[in-house]
Amino acid sequence: MTWTNWPTSSAYLISDVLCFGGDILNITGNGLLALWTVEQNQLSDIITLVAKCSLEIQEKFGIYHTREGQDLQLKIGLSAGRISQVIIGDEQRQYLLVIGRDIDGVQLAQRLAQANEIVLSWNCWKLCEQYMFEVEIMREDEAVKVGGWSHLPNVLKRPSYYTGQCSDILRTALVLDPDSALEQTLRKHIMKNLLKKIDEGQPMEYISEFRTVTMVLVSLEFHKTAWMLHLCHLIQEAALYISTVIEKGGGQLSRIFMFEKGCMFLCVFGLPGDKKPDECAHALESSFSIFSFCWENLAETKLVSISVTNGPVFCGMVGAVARHEYTVIGPKVSLVARMITAYPGLVSSLELSHPHCTFPVFIYIDICHNGNSCICFISIH
């Protein structure tokens, strides 16, 4: 769905996922990553449950008619298998990452899905009760598309969400008693400008706003020969350097995303309490510092790409009451991601991103003119 509707629409999607027993790992500008953690002998049943959840979500929200007259549609990818959870950061700020082959699998499945489709990764297809599904093989050894049920799973009852008892099956973290030690740990995963607003007692409805910010997206692609533990150390080293450089210029490292060949770091300048008149210049200067550091100090790095842009975005809470987070979304967020793809291995920026910058113009690119688990990735377009 478009960014104007995603803050509201995400609440309904998240409620469905939570009430089917899943949890939300990440909420991005146009999608969310959901996780069902299970024992090995439960995987086939859980895949069926997640498929049921996905089909019901597509039935209810697959085509969404907006007041602006635009039809918005869902693409859903599923994968299953073993994943690892990694904490990146220091004593001030930390980030939870999930890594593994099946994270790559769910991203591939989601990319292969078209509007209103559900696609299973090949590993997910091998682990599920295949006789239950009507499918189309999309790519041998890669993915299959789910068309519906060949045998309706009558062993799966309709979730208690539909009977008003959803709170009975929500994850236990939502109903824990107050714990000061746990609270201090969780605070490390929240951006400092949001923590300040929370500590001041500001109501959640006053935290969200439209504002102009400058965004820096750093993409690191690693060689396939790098082993997992080494990659984690590289991401940790990169995160510490990026956050230090960005914060010196008045920005914040907002999110870290994993993808098949590496990871991305989304940094934002101009959030509440951080606004500076020369934030674009700071963003560009930080970008070149990060670019040089990653090439010179991170072994196994195959490609470093950085894009910079600025403009109005939605800054605020996205999600449902039981699961929400602070993020930035909007067309400019999508643009900075497309710039990474269009100009790999470079630092690229829109011309309008650096009106106060004194660097030579020729160094910029002006594109103004043109454990065991079942994982579900839902994107909105």
Side-chain angles (χ1 to χ4, degrees):
M1 296 178 184
T2 59
W3 61 287
T4 52
N5 299 91
W6 177 230
T8 300
S9 306
S10 62
Y12 301 108
L13 294 176
I14 289 171
S15 295
D16 270 28
V17 170
L18 292 177
C19 293
F20 269 89
D23 194 10
I24 308 298
L25 288 180
N26 284 316
I27 304 173
T28 64
N30 67 337
L32 59 88
L33 182 65
L35 174 73
W36 281 256
T37 303
V38 297
E39 298 295 332
Q40 179 71 33
N41 59 4
Q42 298 174 317
L43 262 179
S44 61
D45 290 338
I46 290 299
I47 293 172
T48 305
L49 176 67
V50 177
K52 179 180 176 66
C53 173
S54 301
L55 287 166
E56 294 205 11
I57 286 176
Q58 284 288 28
E59 182 180 347
K60 290 189 290 183
F61 311 114
I63 300 180
Y64 184 86
H65 304 287
T66 68
R67 289 177 296 181
E68 294 84 359
Q70 182 180 8
D71 290 341
L72 309 174
Q73 299 171 317
L74 292 177
K75 297 164 55 178
I76 301 179
L78 306 181
S79 184
R82 299 184 67 86
I83 63 171
S84 299
Q85 300 182 20
V86 180
I87 300 294
I88 298 295
D90 54 23
E91 287 302 313
Q92 282 70 48
R93 184 70 200 279
Q94 296 181 350
Y95 307 82
L96 172 65
L97 303 182
V98 288
I99 57 177
R101 182 188 66 178
D102 293 296
I103 295 297
D104 299 342
V106 75
Q107 292 174 336
L108 173 63
Q110 184 273 329
R111 282 203 314 274
L112 292 176
Q114 300 298 313
N116 303 104
E117 290 184 351
I118 299 169
V119 173
L120 307 183
S121 73
W122 196 255
N123 195 48
C124 187
W125 172 240
K126 290 192 298 182
L127 292 169
C128 74
E129 299 287 351
Q130 297 181 4
Y131 71 91
M132 287 189 175
F133 300 98
E134 296 177 354
V135 301
E136 171 188 336
I137 303 297
M138 300 183 69
R139 296 186 186 179
E140 190 71 25
D141 296 329
E142 287 194 358
V144 301
K145 179 170 64 176
V146 176
W149 302 107
S150 59
H151 293 79
L152 191 64
N154 53 16
V155 296
L156 296 176
K157 297 181 180 179
R158 183 169 287 264
S160 56
Y161 165 81
Y162 298 96
T163 62
Q165 302 171 353
C166 183
S167 59
D168 295 338
I169 60 172
L170 290 180
R171 57 180 182 155
T172 56
L174 295 173
V175 293
L176 291 176
D177 294 329
D179 185 323
S180 58
L182 177 59
E183 180 181 342
Q184 291 303 314
T185 299
L186 295 177
R187 285 173 65 91
K188 297 176 183 178
H189 292 265
I190 303 176
M191 298 174 66
K192 63 180 182 180
N193 65 306
L194 179 58
L195 280 176
K196 185 174 183 296
K197 290 179 177 291
I198 293 174
D199 292 339
E200 292 173 349
Q202 291 194 25
M204 285 295 177
E205 56 267 27
Y206 296 151
I207 291 177
S208 301
E209 60 180 324
F210 288 94
R211 62 187 293 120
T212 298
V213 301
T214 301
M215 289 161 289
V216 175
L217 183 61
V218 180
S219 174
L220 301 181
E221 184 177 328
F222 302 108
H223 291 289
K224 292 183 178 180
T225 55
W227 53 301
M228 189 61 67
L229 183 58
H230 190 197
L231 287 182
C232 292
H233 285 298
L234 293 176
I235 295 171
Q236 167 75 359
E237 189 175 353
L240 293 179
Y241 184 83
I242 290 171
S243 61
T244 300
V245 170
I246 292 295
E247 288 177 8
K248 285 182 179 179
Q252 294 190 52
L253 174 54
S254 173
R255 293 184 179 281
I256 304 177
F257 305 98
M258 299 298 298
F259 63 97
E260 294 98 317
K261 302 175 183 178
C263 63
M264 291 187 179
F265 304 81
L266 178 62
C267 310
V268 185
F269 292 79
L271 290 172
D274 295 331
K275 198 67 177 176
K276 294 183 178 181
D278 55 351
E279 67 183 37
C280 294
H282 284 303
L284 288 166
E285 187 175 9
S286 300
S287 297
F288 281 97
S289 177
I290 293 168
F291 189 86
S292 298
F293 172 83
C294 293
W295 269 126
E296 296 170 4
N297 297 277
L298 301 182
E300 301 293 345
T301 300
K302 179 181 178 181
L303 192 66
V304 181
S305 308
I306 302 178
S307 57
V308 186
T309 190
N310 70 341
V313 298
F314 171 84
C315 302
M317 307 305 298
V318 174
V321 174
R323 175 64 170 86
H324 53 262
E325 54 187 82
Y326 187 87
T327 190
V328 294
I329 58 177
K332 291 294 183 179
V333 181
S334 301
L335 175 60
V336 79
R338 292 199 301 271
M339 290 165 63
I340 285 284
T341 303
Y343 297 96
L346 300 170
V347 178
S348 61
S349 77
L350 288 176
E351 186 177 9
L352 294 178
S353 294
H354 46 85
H356 304 293
C357 187
T358 58
F359 293 138
V361 175
F362 64 81
I363 60 178
Y364 303 110
I365 296 173
D366 179 2
I367 63 169
C368 289
H369 308 293
N370 287 320
N372 289 311
S373 58
C374 186
I375 310 163
C376 175
F377 187 83
I378 303 171
S379 70
I380 301 104
H381 298 267

